[in-house]
Amino acid sequence: MRYRKALLLGASALASLSIANTAAAQDGQEDATAVGEVIVTARKREERLFDVPVAVTAVTSETLEDRQFQTIREIAQVTPGLNINSDAAGRGFISIRGVGITLLDNVQPGVGIFVDGVYQANTSYLNSPTLAVEQVEVLRGPQGTLFGQNTLGGAINITTRQPSDVVEGRISAAYAGPDNFYTVGGTIAGPIVEGAIQGRLSIGTQNRDGFVENSLLGYDDANRLHQDTIRGALRFVLPANAELTVNAYYDNVEGTLPLYAVTTGPTDYRDDSQYNVRSESDYDYSGLNGRLIVPFGNTDMTVIVAHDRRDFEGAGDSDFQPIPLATGTGFGELRTTTGEARFDTRWSDTLSTLVGVFASTQDSFSSSTTTITPLGISSTATADTDINLWAGFGTVFWNFAPEWELSVGLRFDHQTVDSVAGTGFSSSYEADEWQPRVALRRSFGESMVYASIARGFRGGGANGPGAPNPLWDGDSVWTYELGGRTRMAGGDVLLSGAVFYNDYSDVIGQNSLAPSTTGVGIVGINLNSGDARAIGIEGEFTAFVTDAWTVRGGFVFQNARFTDTARYTATTGRTLPSDRFPFEPDWTVSLQTNYVVPFQGGELDFSAGVFGKGDRQGASLSNTFSPQLEEYFLANATIAWRRDNLELAVFANNLFDTEYYESYIDSSVLTVAGLPALGSLGLIGDGRRVGVRLGYDF
């Protein structure tokens, strides 16, 4: 009942703030740059953020630097409804408004990730450094009509800095303790042939020892990470205002597999992961893509072609405990090729369309070997999976009156999944899905409200070697949303918010464990858990209190619950112990303040922020018990001195050294798998990190 009341109050507030401030917006809002003209591509075309009838958070490069964000995944601290977990190098689990997170990384993500318009087939990019990132847009709610399948929760749209004829560059470095954290990076851009060819090159490295030790083997850097990155871009200026941009990248990531410590409960915080063997993982990521933009007449044509690859190998303790029971090794390959062509046409001042086609192929191979140490028995399982997709899509944008816009879109996706296990057993999955979206926008001077209905779809897939259910189906959602934005106080305050209701079918939301069909060891499996719904309210604000003082904040309150878990029971023979989604909080809040004062010919920027996350349910295979992870708040602070092109800063992350578990596995998971359990398993979050940062722009 309290969520229903909150939604009603939120809807009333959104409507009232949009209408009540119309007069103020018309009286003093001619200079919209008071809060900055943020440009986004949330609808595959450049538009003012203020005008887009989508729940969007735009995180600029300045915010990334001010908050000392080193990776893309950290933007969850300033984005309502975005929840990102990572329990190892190369692994990221993401959800928006309740759906997306599991503990296995072979699920197609419920939130799509796009870099310069190129779809990323896995979530590993979330752990990449923020070199040359211009802006990150987080789109909440289904975005399938324009962005495609696997965006039923939303999309993360990342834009990198594109080269031009202006020579520019940046050098930055940071060091922090106590875990020997450092990052060094540089980027330079400018003309190669002035007026015809421009380029950008970015190189960086980062390192950390982490906050987890292994006292059994004597390592104090058990949760270490080292990453080297190189990225390049060439932009060709072609005749008739056409342009071609070619991007290439290579990342090497050396770290660990998931590194859990044995704990007695979700409030017993342990940082000692006593594995019998040193955990190792190594990832190589590389890719090449091109984007051609050709304007002709009243139409802009965009063609994108990309090829990405990932290679992985790793080894570690398979029972996650000091018991010398099982070890494992593995390697895998992923190859993804995508292509898209779209046509943005303006038929008149009031009518435009965006239509296109999309196709992709995704080929993966994985192999894992499990050794039962006491018996000296080993078993190897392999799987080879091919995913093929093609789609057609289109949206009509109609401004049928000066203050009104109606947009109607539809996308059709056809997907096939074919999997062959090492035993020769093969399985196939096929799906045809429609993804519509209808949105109505009404402007009131410098206020805007919108209502939308959309459907999103995520593709199914194949489990890894030895899984008893080789395939699982896709899941889908219908979302109903009311939102708005407004400016107040002469343009010094920007408010935005939305209320939403999500109706999910066949949710891929609770993974499980099962004995391997090879007869040795256990395997993680994905499956369809059943149906669910989520209801919530979210909001953001930016306030320029004075010329020197800025305050920003955001929140989401939601109730995401399973309503029917019959499919989970049919697959596993067990019942879920809770109707809550694993690792999904009912609320998150964030608040940041910046105060700038003149100092020594430059300026001092005092920045502080706090991010809070509500209690969550950990992973469990019990029929009756589900562990509850405590709510927590993390505080960050930075003091930066800037003069001309130079920046010097001191910073502290997790200022009060708060202890929390981001990932947690109840002991029932081990016992159901037939393993002895010394306790439950928890992966502690990063502790306090204090350091210095240097940056120079030229």
Side-chain angles (χ1 to χ4, degrees):
M1 180 63 71
R2 65 180 184 275
Y3 292 97
R4 189 175 301 169
K5 291 181 179 179
L7 282 177
L8 291 175
L9 290 172
S12 299
L14 288 171
S16 62
L17 69 85
S18 297
I19 297 173
N21 290 291
T22 301
Q26 293 173 338
D27 283 341
Q29 298 297 326
E30 298 299 324
D31 184 11
T33 59
V35 293
E37 287 291 356
V38 178
I39 303 300
V40 297
T41 55
R43 299 197 293 180
K44 296 279 188 170
R45 50 170 57 170
E46 291 189 352
E47 300 174 285
R48 290 197 317 164
L49 169 63
F50 200 81
D51 298 328
V52 177
V54 179
V56 183
T57 296
V59 182
T60 64
S61 57
E62 291 79 7
T63 300
L64 295 173
E65 294 174 8
D66 288 345
R67 293 297 299 270
Q68 191 58 32
F69 290 162
Q70 301 297 324
T71 61
I72 299 297
R73 73 184 182 93
E74 294 171 271
I75 64 171
Q77 296 185 24
V78 294
T79 307
L82 175 62
N83 190 28
I84 300 177
N85 285 6
S86 179
D87 63 1
R91 287 164 57 94
F93 309 105
I94 181 171
S95 71
I96 293 179
R97 293 179 175 175
V99 163
I101 287 182
T102 73
L103 284 179
L104 299 179
D105 58 359
N106 58 343
V107 176
Q108 297 186 65
V111 175
I113 302 173
F114 300 82
V115 181
D116 293 327
V118 178
Y119 174 66
Q120 306 296 299
N122 58 77
T123 59
S124 57
Y125 185 84
L126 296 171
N127 291 318
S128 296
T130 56
L131 277 176
V133 171
E134 181 68 27
Q135 185 166 281
V136 183
E137 303 166 23
V138 180
L139 287 59
R140 297 183 290 277
Q143 306 299 323
T145 304
L146 290 175
F147 286 87
Q149 71 163 29
N150 304 337
T151 58
L152 75 168
I156 298 179
N157 189 27
I158 301 160
T159 304
T160 63
R161 296 188 184 98
Q162 296 302 299
S164 68
D165 276 339
V166 177
V167 177
E168 60 172 346
R170 178 175 175 81
I171 300 172
S172 63
Y175 181 83
D179 67 328
N180 191 35
F181 168 89
Y182 66 81
T183 176
V184 179
T187 181
I188 185 170
I192 298 174
V193 177
E194 190 166 350
I197 306 175
Q198 299 113 20
R200 175 178 293 277
L201 179 65
S202 302
I203 301 175
T205 184
Q206 63 172 314
N207 182 86
R208 73 171 191 218
D209 290 342
F211 292 87
V212 177
E213 65 175 356
N214 185 333
S215 63
L216 188 65
L217 299 179
Y219 294 111
D220 59 4
D221 64 342
N223 197 22
R224 67 205 175 281
L225 175 72
H226 185 89
Q227 178 162 346
D228 296 314
T229 298
I230 182 169
R231 300 178 184 276
L234 288 174
R235 179 174 178 265
F236 300 87
V237 180
L238 305 177
N241 294 320
E243 66 177 58
L244 171 66
T245 304
V246 179
N247 296 282
Y249 69 90
Y250 172 77
D251 292 336
N252 174 253
V253 182
E254 297 178 358
T256 71
L257 299 176
L259 210 66
Y260 290 89
V262 176
T263 176
T264 61
T267 59
D268 176 27
Y269 299 106
R270 302 290 184 94
D271 60 3
D272 189 2
S273 176
Q274 296 183 335
Y275 286 12
N276 305 119
V277 296
R278 187 163 170 82
S279 182
E280 305 275 358
S281 71
D282 187 277
Y283 289 86
D284 283 318
Y285 303 98
S286 59
L288 178 68
N289 62 75
R291 180 180 61 196
L292 175 66
I293 301 175
V294 180
F296 53 91
N298 61 343
T299 299
D300 290 336
M301 180 186 72
T302 301
V303 178
I304 298 175
V305 178
H307 180 74
D308 299 272
R309 58 186 294 167
R310 180 190 71 188
D311 295 281
F312 158 77
E313 61 181 27
D317 192 332
S318 298
D319 56 72
F320 305 107
Q321 302 173 98
I323 306 172
L325 183 61
T327 61
T329 61
F331 66 91
E333 302 173 349
L334 174 68
R335 307 288 183 263
T336 304
T337 302
T338 61
E340 178 177 297
R342 61 179 184 267
F343 302 86
D344 191 346
T345 303
R346 288 159 177 79
W347 300 100
S348 68
D349 292 339
T350 60
L351 184 67
S352 63
T353 58
L354 194 154
V355 298
V357 293
F358 175 86
S360 74
T361 63
Q362 181 177 318
D363 303 321
S364 64
F365 176 81
S366 61
S367 175
S368 64
T369 299
T370 300
T371 300
I372 305 301
T373 307
L375 302 178
I377 299 175
S378 297
S379 177
T380 298
T382 63
D384 197 339
T385 303
D386 297 328
I387 300 177
N388 294 282
L389 172 75
W390 64 265
F393 59 92
T395 298
V396 177
F397 306 90
W398 180 29
N399 293 98
F400 59 89
E403 301 86 6
W404 291 88
E405 182 202 70
L406 175 66
S407 56
V408 180
L410 184 64
R411 185 186 188 101
F412 174 76
D413 286 274
H414 174 77
Q415 180 194 62
T416 60
V417 178
D418 297 295
S419 179
V420 180
T423 59
F425 178 78
S426 62
S427 53
S428 299
Y429 161 86
E430 185 173 351
D432 293 320
E433 297 288 339
W434 295 93
Q435 298 185 83
R437 176 182 172 84
V438 178
L440 182 64
R441 184 189 71 193
R442 173 71 160 92
S443 299
F444 304 88
E446 284 299 315
S447 295
M448 180 269 287
V449 294
Y450 68 89
S452 65
I453 301 173
R455 182 179 187 269
F457 167 73
R458 170 168 48 176
N463 279 309
N469 60 324
L471 297 169
W472 67 89
D473 295 329
D475 55 359
S476 63
V477 63
W478 280 98
T479 292
Y480 310 87
E481 183 174 325
L482 172 66
R485 298 184 179 92
T486 191
R487 301 179 192 269
M488 302 171 60
D492 288 336
V493 177
L494 174 65
L495 301 176
S496 63
V499 292
F500 59 87
Y501 178 83
N502 297 336
D503 185 9
Y504 295 100
S505 298
D506 299 321
V507 176
I508 309 167
Q510 174 69 67
N511 56 309
S512 187
L513 290 177
S516 174
T517 57
T518 64
V520 179
I522 58 173
V523 293
I525 62 171
N526 290 297
L527 69 160
N528 300 96
S529 298
D531 299 335
R533 61 103 181 101
I535 186 170
I537 180 171
E538 61 194 24
E540 295 179 275
F541 75 91
T542 299
F544 293 90
V545 183
T546 68
D547 290 341
W549 186 17
T550 305
V551 180
R552 296 179 175 87
F555 71 90
V556 64
F557 295 98
Q558 66 177 13
N559 182 266
R561 299 292 188 268
F562 286 109
T563 57
D564 183 351
T565 58
R567 291 201 66 177
Y568 177 86
T569 300
T571 302
T572 66
R574 296 186 298 275
T575 59
L576 288 175
S578 171
D579 62 354
R580 294 188 63 174
F581 292 3
F583 307 110
E584 192 67 35
D586 280 345
W587 58 265
T588 61
V589 296
S590 65
L591 184 67
Q592 180 189 7
T593 178
N594 289 77
Y595 193 82
V596 181
V597 297
F599 181 77
Q600 294 293 311
E603 63 180 27
L604 272 180
D605 186 346
F606 297 88
S607 175
V610 62
F611 167 75
K613 181 181 287 191
D615 61 64
R616 291 93 60 220
Q617 301 299 114
S620 175
L621 291 185
S622 168
N623 290 319
T624 58
F625 173 74
S626 182
Q628 180 170 293
L629 308 183
E630 288 189 323
E631 64 184 42
Y632 66 86
F633 292 87
L634 301 179
N636 304 315
T638 302
I639 302 175
W641 176 65
R642 301 183 182 95
R643 179 176 177 179
D644 299 326
N645 298 331
L646 179 66
E647 178 192 55
L648 297 172
V650 294
F651 65 89
N653 295 336
N654 193 358
L655 181 63
F656 301 110
D657 204 20
T658 299
E659 293 183 315
Y660 63 99
Y661 282 132
E662 197 60 77
S663 294
Y664 187 91
I665 300 175
D666 181 58
S667 60
S668 62
V669 174
L670 298 174
T671 56
V672 166
L675 295 171
L678 299 180
S680 298
L681 304 175
L683 179 60
I684 199 167
D686 286 351
R688 178 170 52 224
R689 183 181 282 140
V690 179
V692 296
R693 184 178 79 229
L694 168 68
Y696 181 72
D697 296 296
F698 59 90

PDB file of all heavy atoms in Angstrom, residues 119 202 243 267 345 390 465 509 524 551 573 617 667:
ATOM      1  N   TYR A 119      26.924  -1.920 -30.276  1.00  0.00           N
ATOM      2  CA  TYR A 119      26.444  -2.779 -29.207  1.00  0.00           C
ATOM      3  C   TYR A 119      27.569  -3.647 -28.657  1.00  0.00           C
ATOM      4  O   TYR A 119      28.339  -4.248 -29.412  1.00  0.00           O
ATOM      5  CB  TYR A 119      25.316  -3.673 -29.723  1.00  0.00           C
ATOM      6  CG  TYR A 119      24.831  -4.701 -28.725  1.00  0.00           C
ATOM      7  CD1 TYR A 119      24.189  -4.300 -27.564  1.00  0.00           C
ATOM      8  CD2 TYR A 119      25.039  -6.062 -28.942  1.00  0.00           C
ATOM      9  CE1 TYR A 119      23.747  -5.237 -26.640  1.00  0.00           C
ATOM     10  CE2 TYR A 119      24.597  -7.004 -28.026  1.00  0.00           C
ATOM     11  CZ  TYR A 119      23.952  -6.583 -26.874  1.00  0.00           C
ATOM     12  OH  TYR A 119      23.528  -7.503 -25.948  1.00  0.00           O
ATOM     13  N   SER A 202      44.584   7.133 -27.289  1.00  0.00           N
ATOM     14  CA  SER A 202      44.491   7.112 -25.830  1.00  0.00           C
ATOM     15  C   SER A 202      45.176   5.857 -25.315  1.00  0.00           C
ATOM     16  O   SER A 202      44.950   4.762 -25.829  1.00  0.00           O
ATOM     17  CB  SER A 202      43.030   7.128 -25.370  1.00  0.00           C
ATOM     18  OG  SER A 202      42.346   8.258 -25.866  1.00  0.00           O
ATOM     19  N   GLU A 243      31.041  11.876 -43.395  1.00  0.00           N
ATOM     20  CA  GLU A 243      32.209  11.592 -42.565  1.00  0.00           C
ATOM     21  C   GLU A 243      32.258  10.108 -42.230  1.00  0.00           C
ATOM     22  O   GLU A 243      31.239   9.430 -42.118  1.00  0.00           O
ATOM     23  CB  GLU A 243      32.198  12.415 -41.279  1.00  0.00           C
ATOM     24  CG  GLU A 243      31.072  12.086 -40.323  1.00  0.00           C
ATOM     25  CD  GLU A 243      31.179  12.903 -39.033  1.00  0.00           C
ATOM     26  OE1 GLU A 243      31.173  14.152 -39.120  1.00  0.00           O
ATOM     27  OE2 GLU A 243      31.253  12.279 -37.951  1.00  0.00           O
ATOM     28  N   THR A 267      26.393 -10.124   8.132  1.00  0.00           N
ATOM     29  CA  THR A 267      26.951  -8.978   8.860  1.00  0.00           C
ATOM     30  C   THR A 267      28.318  -9.307   9.455  1.00  0.00           C
ATOM     31  O   THR A 267      28.874  -8.508  10.206  1.00  0.00           O
ATOM     32  CB  THR A 267      25.994  -8.519   9.973  1.00  0.00           C
ATOM     33  OG1 THR A 267      25.770  -9.601  10.889  1.00  0.00           O
ATOM     34  CG2 THR A 267      24.661  -8.069   9.399  1.00  0.00           C
ATOM     35  N   THR A 345      14.942  10.876 -41.412  1.00  0.00           N
ATOM     36  CA  THR A 345      14.371  11.727 -42.454  1.00  0.00           C
ATOM     37  C   THR A 345      13.423  12.751 -41.841  1.00  0.00           C
ATOM     38  O   THR A 345      12.552  12.401 -41.039  1.00  0.00           O
ATOM     39  CB  THR A 345      13.599  10.892 -43.492  1.00  0.00           C
ATOM     40  OG1 THR A 345      14.478   9.907 -44.045  1.00  0.00           O
ATOM     41  CG2 THR A 345      13.063  11.775 -44.606  1.00  0.00           C
ATOM     42  N   TRP A 390      18.625 -10.797 -36.577  1.00  0.00           N
ATOM     43  CA  TRP A 390      18.386  -9.697 -37.509  1.00  0.00           C
ATOM     44  C   TRP A 390      17.110  -8.972 -37.090  1.00  0.00           C
ATOM     45  O   TRP A 390      16.235  -9.546 -36.439  1.00  0.00           O
ATOM     46  CB  TRP A 390      18.299 -10.170 -38.961  1.00  0.00           C
ATOM     47  CG  TRP A 390      17.159 -11.085 -39.288  1.00  0.00           C
ATOM     48  CD1 TRP A 390      17.172 -12.440 -39.312  1.00  0.00           C
ATOM     49  CD2 TRP A 390      15.823 -10.686 -39.648  1.00  0.00           C
ATOM     50  NE1 TRP A 390      15.941 -12.926 -39.666  1.00  0.00           N
ATOM     51  CE2 TRP A 390      15.089 -11.879 -39.876  1.00  0.00           C
ATOM     52  CE3 TRP A 390      15.185  -9.453 -39.801  1.00  0.00           C
ATOM     53  CZ2 TRP A 390      13.746 -11.857 -40.245  1.00  0.00           C
ATOM     54  CZ3 TRP A 390      13.848  -9.434 -40.168  1.00  0.00           C
ATOM     55  CH2 TRP A 390      13.134 -10.621 -40.397  1.00  0.00           C
ATOM     56  N   PRO A 465      29.077 -25.811 -20.242  1.00  0.00           N
ATOM     57  CA  PRO A 465      29.290 -27.264 -20.302  1.00  0.00           C
ATOM     58  C   PRO A 465      28.744 -27.965 -19.061  1.00  0.00           C
ATOM     59  O   PRO A 465      28.903 -27.501 -17.936  1.00  0.00           O
ATOM     60  CB  PRO A 465      30.820 -27.388 -20.365  1.00  0.00           C
ATOM     61  CG  PRO A 465      31.293 -26.064 -20.870  1.00  0.00           C
ATOM     62  CD  PRO A 465      30.324 -25.053 -20.369  1.00  0.00           C
ATOM     63  N   GLY A 509      16.064 -14.295 -13.685  1.00  0.00           N
ATOM     64  CA  GLY A 509      16.457 -13.472 -12.555  1.00  0.00           C
ATOM     65  C   GLY A 509      17.015 -14.209 -11.374  1.00  0.00           C
ATOM     66  O   GLY A 509      17.441 -13.590 -10.407  1.00  0.00           O
ATOM     67  N   GLY A 524      27.046 -23.909 -12.770  1.00  0.00           N
ATOM     68  CA  GLY A 524      26.033 -22.879 -12.624  1.00  0.00           C
ATOM     69  C   GLY A 524      25.119 -22.880 -13.827  1.00  0.00           C
ATOM     70  O   GLY A 524      25.571 -23.051 -14.968  1.00  0.00           O
ATOM     71  N   VAL A 551      24.531  21.788  -5.987  1.00  0.00           N
ATOM     72  CA  VAL A 551      24.100  20.565  -5.311  1.00  0.00           C
ATOM     73  C   VAL A 551      23.333  19.709  -6.314  1.00  0.00           C
ATOM     74  O   VAL A 551      22.476  20.214  -7.050  1.00  0.00           O
ATOM     75  CB  VAL A 551      23.212  20.863  -4.090  1.00  0.00           C
ATOM     76  CG1 VAL A 551      22.786  19.564  -3.405  1.00  0.00           C
ATOM     77  CG2 VAL A 551      23.942  21.769  -3.107  1.00  0.00           C
ATOM     78  N   GLY A 573      13.116 -28.157  -9.025  1.00  0.00           N
ATOM     79  CA  GLY A 573      12.500 -28.981  -8.000  1.00  0.00           C
ATOM     80  C   GLY A 573      12.463 -28.319  -6.640  1.00  0.00           C
ATOM     81  O   GLY A 573      12.050 -28.931  -5.647  1.00  0.00           O
ATOM     82  N   GLN A 617      18.706  -9.037  -1.024  1.00  0.00           N
ATOM     83  CA  GLN A 617      18.733 -10.465  -0.761  1.00  0.00           C
ATOM     84  C   GLN A 617      19.956 -11.085  -1.441  1.00  0.00           C
ATOM     85  O   GLN A 617      20.212 -10.838  -2.621  1.00  0.00           O
ATOM     86  CB  GLN A 617      17.467 -11.144  -1.294  1.00  0.00           C
ATOM     87  CG  GLN A 617      16.174 -10.613  -0.708  1.00  0.00           C
ATOM     88  CD  GLN A 617      16.097 -10.797   0.789  1.00  0.00           C
ATOM     89  OE1 GLN A 617      16.085  -9.844   1.554  1.00  0.00           O
ATOM     90  NE2 GLN A 617      16.053 -12.037   1.222  1.00  0.00           N
ATOM     91  N   SER A 667      25.261 -20.535   2.489  1.00  0.00           N
ATOM     92  CA  SER A 667      25.853 -21.876   2.566  1.00  0.00           C
ATOM     93  C   SER A 667      24.981 -22.938   1.907  1.00  0.00           C
ATOM     94  O   SER A 667      25.483 -23.992   1.491  1.00  0.00           O
ATOM     95  CB  SER A 667      26.108 -22.257   4.027  1.00  0.00           C
ATOM     96  OG  SER A 667      24.891 -22.255   4.760  1.00  0.00           O
TER      97      SER A 667
END
